[in-house]
Amino acid sequence: RYVGRGDAPARFAAVVESIVFLVAVNLEEMATQRATPRRIVLTGGLARLDGFARRLAAVSGVTVERPGFTEATARGLGWLVAGRPGTWREPAWQRDEPAEDDALRRRYRRWRRAMEAAV
């Protein structure tokens, strides 16, 4: 089957979902060792993507938390330039709770089957 069909937004969504699915596979493997996380802390560039965090929470069944900022280097530099103020406030964190998404779960099962067949 040809990979990469659809317009650019559809292909981007497929890449995002593939990353979510890879994380979900790893979480399932962790669960077999009784290492189930109570939450996932998401930072960096992917933390900017609301759809990524929502999908990850829905597929994994785990709450996803992410900071209200993604540029830690720029924030740290700003804090240093400001003279390391003790009143420096952190932006609020966002929480994405697990939600039912049957269509996403079907795509995940189909993706798992395809990956197992490919390996």
Side-chain angles (χ1 to χ4, degrees):
R1 201 169 151 158
Y2 180 74
V3 176
R5 283 189 259 186
D7 57 8
R11 290 193 312 267
F12 177 76
V15 168
V16 167
E17 281 192 359
S18 292
I19 298 168
V20 167
F21 296 164
L22 287 168
V23 173
V25 167
N26 283 281
L27 291 170
E28 289 172 5
E29 287 299 315
M30 289 172 60
T32 67
Q33 302 299 314
R34 296 191 174 112
T36 306
R38 292 185 308 260
R39 68 187 174 119
I40 297 169
V41 177
L42 183 62
T43 61
L46 290 174
R48 295 181 197 168
L49 303 177
D50 293 336
F52 181 84
R54 273 194 317 273
R55 286 176 174 96
L56 183 56
V59 168
S60 69
V62 178
T63 298
V64 175
E65 296 180 358
R66 52 200 170 117
F69 63 93
T70 56
E71 293 298 331
T73 302
R75 277 192 59 73
L77 181 59
W79 179 73
L80 288 171
V81 168
R84 301 179 181 181
T87 58
W88 194 261
R89 292 184 10 204
E90 294 291 329
W93 281 58
Q94 300 173 352
R95 292 174 57 101
D96 293 278
E97 298 292 341
E100 292 297 320
D101 189 333
D102 293 333
L104 180 63
R105 289 185 188 276
R106 281 192 301 275
R107 288 193 302 275
Y108 176 57
R109 287 191 300 272
R110 190 172 56 235
W111 180 89
R112 285 290 306 254
R113 287 191 302 271
M115 291 299 107
E116 288 168 6
V119 176

